Amino acid sequence: MERETDLPIVVGVDGSEPSLRAVDWAADEAALRGVPLRLVYASLWERYEGAQLAEDLGKPSEQVRAEDIVATAAQRARLRRAEVSIATDVLPEEPEYTLLRESRIASLLVTGTRGRGALTEALLGSVSLTVAAHAHCPVIVVRGSHDNQSLPATHGRIVVGVGGGARTTDGAEEKPTSAAAVRFAFEEARRRGAEVEAVRAWRCPAHETTDHPLLTGEPARLHEQRAAEALETALRDAPADVVLHRRTAEGHARTVLADASRHADLLVVGARRRQRHFGLQLGRVTHGALHRSSCPVAIVPESG
């Protein structure tokens, strides 16, 4: 049986600049982990992302060949990390189907963004969003660079969002929803020699505020205290060999994490998928992080 540490990092490539940035990031990560890199192109990708793919490559659509796309990606990965073993595959399938199947035999699944023009870093392609919502392994969506280069880590910091559990009928909070994300953040920090900043956002509901001069601030302090306690609970098994910073911040979690991502090399969030009328969906915090982060985002599946 193949150990998880031997599983490849899989990158979905489509020939675009965002996917080549994803290749760069994945090659660096494969070198850190000592695992193979697998570059996969689903030949029906253009059906979902439109004729822009051919325009990105500077060729008429009839000249765009799947072999050219994966060969270019593989050459780029070899130039960046010659020591990494690289395999390629071209599959005549739907991109979502291909990548979700690949996620069952991957240690990581890496994709880029597929925004257009001035909105390149503000929008997320349909394929990346679907994969992030359904993959069986952690997914990295590479964001945060506005040219065709994936920049090396410069901040020496990984930010992990510590989410709160749902409320029970008596008002108590269930276990945090980010245990797997916290473990992933510490593992990445060890590999990179980086520090971890664990962030828990909190808000004071409007109906709990008061104008009484002797009580002003009490509800806010209570919510902040609860956030600090939840943070400590989530970090109780933190390893001693990783520098850890704890921070609580007032505000919407998606805004707090987007702000924190400006000074991070990786933003890690947990994804507890919810079954809704239209299938599995990511929570608002994870969805917001994917669209607003200034650095690559890791979406880590949570159990339960």
Side-chain angles (χ1 to χ4, degrees):
M1 183 175 181
E2 194 169 20
R3 298 176 302 166
E4 183 177 355
T5 53
D6 296 328
L7 297 177
I9 292 175
V10 174
V11 190
V13 297
D14 65 2
S16 67
E17 288 182 359
S19 82
L20 292 176
R21 292 202 300 266
V23 170
D24 289 347
W25 194 97
D28 291 344
E29 185 71 11
L32 281 175
R33 293 176 175 233
V35 299
L37 185 63
R38 177 169 163 79
L39 309 177
V40 177
Y41 174 69
S43 60
L44 299 183
W45 201 305
E46 188 174 355
R47 175 187 300 178
Y48 288 81
E49 299 297 351
Q52 182 71 30
L53 173 59
E55 184 177 329
D56 286 347
L57 295 174
K59 301 178 182 179
S61 58
E62 65 271 13
Q63 293 181 12
V64 175
R65 295 290 183 266
E67 291 79 8
D68 293 337
I69 291 172
V70 295
T72 298
Q75 181 182 19
R76 181 159 173 146
R78 291 189 185 99
L79 289 173
R80 189 170 181 102
R81 292 289 182 176
E83 72 272 27
V84 172
S85 174
I86 300 170
T88 63
D89 207 349
V90 176
L91 301 167
E93 299 172 342
E94 315 282 356
E96 293 95 335
Y97 174 81
T98 295
L99 295 180
L100 291 178
R101 186 188 62 233
E102 293 283 335
S103 76
R104 294 182 179 273
I105 56 171
S107 56
L108 277 181
L109 190 61
V110 184
T111 73
T113 55
R114 287 290 290 160
R116 298 285 183 248
L119 297 180
T120 297
E121 293 301 330
L123 300 178
L124 194 70
S126 60
V127 173
S128 296
L129 194 58
T130 300
V131 169
H134 295 79
H136 300 276
C137 69
V139 175
I140 306 291
V141 177
V142 178
R143 298 181 53 88
S145 179
H146 292 270
D147 54 21
N148 66 348
Q149 300 294 318
S150 177
L151 299 178
T154 57
H155 298 287
R157 174 164 298 204
I158 292 172
V159 170
V160 57
V162 176
R167 294 283 176 178
T168 62
T169 54
D170 61 0
E173 190 175 75
E174 297 176 350
K175 65 181 181 179
T177 60
S178 48
V182 169
R183 290 194 300 271
F184 183 92
F186 283 125
E187 290 167 359
E188 280 297 298
R190 279 200 183 104
R191 293 187 184 101
R192 299 160 179 254
E195 301 178 354
V196 170
E197 180 181 9
V199 180
R200 173 64 187 266
W202 62 274
R203 296 181 64 208
C204 180
H207 70 270
E208 294 187 19
T209 60
T210 178
D211 294 329
H212 194 292
L214 298 180
L215 297 178
T216 299
E218 287 299 325
R221 279 195 288 271
L222 178 59
H223 284 283
E224 186 175 15
Q225 180 182 347
R226 287 176 177 171
E229 291 171 353
L231 194 58
E232 288 303 318
T233 298
L235 300 173
R236 60 191 170 193
D237 297 323
D241 59 338
V242 175
V243 176
L244 172 62
H245 304 275
R246 299 166 173 84
R247 183 163 70 91
T248 60
E250 183 178 10
H252 289 284
R254 54 188 180 273
T255 301
V256 169
L257 293 178
D259 290 343
S261 73
R262 295 173 185 169
H263 306 289
D265 297 317
L266 183 67
L267 172 61
V268 183
V269 291
R272 181 167 291 174
R273 281 78 178 232
R274 298 170 174 84
Q275 187 69 41
R276 300 284 175 84
H277 295 299
F278 298 101
L280 290 170
Q281 295 181 356
L282 295 172
R284 286 181 295 177
V285 174
T286 305
H287 196 274
L290 283 169
H291 284 82
R292 301 176 64 182
S293 176
S294 298
C295 68
V297 181
I299 306 96
V300 183
E302 298 283 350
S303 60

